Amino acid sequence: MSTVELRRLTKRYDGEPVVRAIDLVFGDGELLVVVGPSGCGKTTVMRMVAGLESITDGDVLVDGVSVVGVHPRDRDLAMVFQAATLYPHLSVGENLGFPLKLAGVRRAEVTRRVNETAMMIGVHELLSRRPSQLSGGERQRIAMGRALIRRPQLLLMDEPMSNLDGKLRTELRGVIGHLQHRLRVTTMYVTHDQVEAMALGDRIAIMGRGRIVQCGRPERLYHRPVDAFVGSFIGSPPMNLMLGRLDASGRPPFVRIGSSTLPLSPSVGPLLRPHDGSDVIVGIRAQALHFTNSTGLDIDVNDVDQSSGRCVIGATVRAGAVVVDEHGVRIERRAAPVVLDLDGDDRLDLELWKRSTLTADPEDIHLFDPTTGRSLLADEPRQDTNETT
């Protein structure tokens, strides 16, 4: 397998930057997911790595050697696209073995590797069928098998599950995870789906407006987002965001949200003192909120949904609503929506439809700058490209 390094990788169209000086390293055998909203530049990055798109500035190195100017067929990589591109006149077995046949591999070796690959991806019983006889999920499995059968240095996957329904997506995630664990092919996986990213990635690089906003292990992005965009993009349901005002002079410090107050961890007091008395964006994940009979965050419950085996509660808090995307932060003069995600066996009664109070562990409360969206508690660089632990 190989290590891939992107150095200040940049792409402009008619002078307008769509990829902006990206630095990123794919470790040997790592599955790195590049995730972000549509139009953020993630597929353009993949196409530059593949050699399908010219590079305006920067470099792509494989095992320390630049591949800029090297033809795509000579980069020893394989790609899997959104739509499974199989040869309709060939059987499944012939589709799987086609790259080996093209490379002049002996027939007996082709047969052996086709059978081995088919067993790995769970399509051995389909080898004699034609693509028209297969489901979408089966066709995509075969497309992955064909990409992997010749053991490329680098595997590029461009939203390979975007055309599948929810059940097939879950099934195929398991196949990809199994193959990656077994083969350890260095893989770049592009998606707009943060659930896929969290489920598959050894590391995740989050893109916004052509830049890497944060890169790290899934649990780090979830618990320590560098800004409100990452905090709201990663996690399901999205992080609750509301406007508050910081009081960092007390012990412990606290944040006021409307007429409510929530205590913060005493350990963050020194970091917050420069922002004492300032407006802040308060971020709390849906799983971190709990009902309490004491003081806390006052909410008005609007909806209770127990259809998924869990209890998802929709509410509002009487504070400014915060809207965040890759372009920035916007504060709106309306009640902020709040979502709670509780265990399905939590007992609920009609009292919840009245005004209720929530609490959260101080360690689970995030604070962001209302102008830049930047975390006030972050202790890491914005582009953590080389984090592996």
Side-chain angles (χ1 to χ4, degrees):
M1 300 308 107
S2 299
T3 298
V4 179
E5 184 179 358
L6 313 184
R7 292 183 182 173
R8 310 297 292 171
L9 194 64
T10 300
K11 179 66 179 182
R12 299 186 188 92
Y13 292 113
D14 297 326
E16 290 297 318
V18 293
V19 174
R20 305 164 185 255
I22 283 181
D23 293 313
L24 197 59
V25 175
F26 301 71
D28 187 10
E30 178 182 39
L31 194 160
L32 192 147
V33 179
V34 180
V35 64
S38 297
C40 70
K42 55 190 183 294
T43 295
T44 302
V45 171
M46 173 175 283
R47 289 178 59 82
M48 287 193 286
V49 172
L52 301 175
E53 193 80 53
S54 63
I55 295 172
T56 305
D57 289 305
D59 206 351
V60 177
L61 298 96
V62 178
D63 291 336
V65 178
S66 175
V67 295
V68 175
V70 177
H71 195 279
R73 67 169 174 262
D74 298 323
R75 296 193 183 195
D76 194 12
L77 56 82
M79 291 192 71
V80 180
F81 299 94
Q82 294 180 25
T85 52
L86 303 179
Y87 298 107
H89 62 289
L90 300 182
S91 68
V92 168
E94 290 167 335
N95 266 284
L96 284 173
F98 187 79
L100 301 180
K101 182 180 178 180
L102 201 63
V105 176
R106 290 182 301 174
R107 182 177 300 177
E109 177 65 9
V110 171
T111 300
R112 185 189 71 79
R113 287 170 65 174
V114 164
N115 288 326
E116 177 187 60
T117 302
M119 290 294 291
M120 280 195 300
I121 62 177
V123 299
H124 196 268
E125 71 283 1
L126 305 177
L127 287 176
S128 62
R129 296 190 187 180
R130 296 290 176 89
S132 61
Q133 299 173 291
L134 305 176
S135 69
E138 289 166 343
R139 286 194 294 270
Q140 200 60 287
R141 284 184 186 223
I142 292 152
M144 286 192 297
R146 190 178 61 186
L148 289 167
I149 196 167
R150 62 181 180 82
R151 303 296 188 267
Q153 290 189 79
L154 176 64
L155 176 63
L156 305 177
M157 306 183 78
D158 185 13
E159 305 210 44
M161 294 187 275
S162 61
N163 295 333
L164 305 180
D165 62 30
K167 182 179 178 181
L168 286 176
R169 290 165 79 102
T170 301
E171 182 181 299
L172 200 56
R173 280 206 305 266
V175 173
I176 293 171
H178 172 74
L179 289 175
Q180 177 65 14
H181 177 76
R182 178 168 177 174
L183 302 176
R184 300 311 297 175
V185 177
T186 305
T187 301
M188 177 183 182
Y189 187 107
V190 164
T191 181
H192 67 276
D193 187 332
Q194 61 91 15
V195 175
E196 280 181 24
M198 295 292 281
L200 288 172
D202 295 321
R203 285 186 304 142
I204 300 171
I206 300 178
M207 284 192 68
R209 300 186 68 189
R211 294 186 175 91
I212 300 291
V213 182
Q214 187 175 4
C215 181
R217 298 183 66 84
E219 61 272 18
R220 188 174 185 90
L221 301 186
Y222 184 86
H223 292 291
R224 300 178 71 180
V226 297
D227 64 13
F229 168 64
V230 173
S232 61
F233 192 85
I234 292 293
S236 181
M239 178 183 283
N240 296 301
L241 299 173
M242 61 207 85
L243 188 64
R245 176 154 293 190
L246 179 64
D247 187 331
S249 60
R251 295 193 179 187
F254 65 88
V255 64
R256 188 179 301 281
I257 304 169
S259 60
S260 307
T261 59
L262 287 175
L264 304 172
S265 172
S267 64
V268 301
L271 282 173
L272 297 177
R273 284 192 193 112
H275 308 282
D276 184 35
S278 300
D279 286 345
V280 293
I281 296 173
V282 182
I284 310 175
R285 296 205 178 274
Q287 297 82 2
L289 287 165
H290 307 283
F291 288 99
T292 181
N293 292 322
S294 60
T295 59
L297 181 64
D298 295 328
I299 62 166
D300 297 303
V301 175
N302 301 323
D303 181 61
V304 178
D305 180 3
Q306 299 187 78
S307 61
S308 62
R310 297 186 63 80
C311 181
V312 179
I313 297 173
T316 54
V317 60
R318 296 173 188 177
V322 178
V323 179
V324 175
D325 59 24
E326 60 178 326
H327 299 287
V329 178
R330 186 170 75 253
I331 310 296
E332 298 185 348
R333 292 183 177 275
R334 60 181 174 89
V338 175
V339 176
L340 291 79
D341 185 358
L342 307 175
D343 290 334
D345 56 359
D346 283 6
R347 296 188 63 84
L348 300 172
D349 54 43
L350 293 177
E351 291 298 312
L352 292 182
W353 293 95
K354 298 180 180 179
R355 194 156 175 79
S356 302
T357 304
L358 304 176
T359 188
D361 187 317
E363 300 293 337
D364 292 327
I365 299 175
H366 302 264
L367 299 176
F368 305 100
D369 185 288
T371 301
T372 65
R374 180 76 174 153
S375 173
L376 303 182
L377 305 175
D379 58 356
E380 61 182 78
R382 197 172 182 86
Q383 186 164 310
D384 188 15
T385 56
N386 296 313
E387 178 196 283
T388 57
T389 59

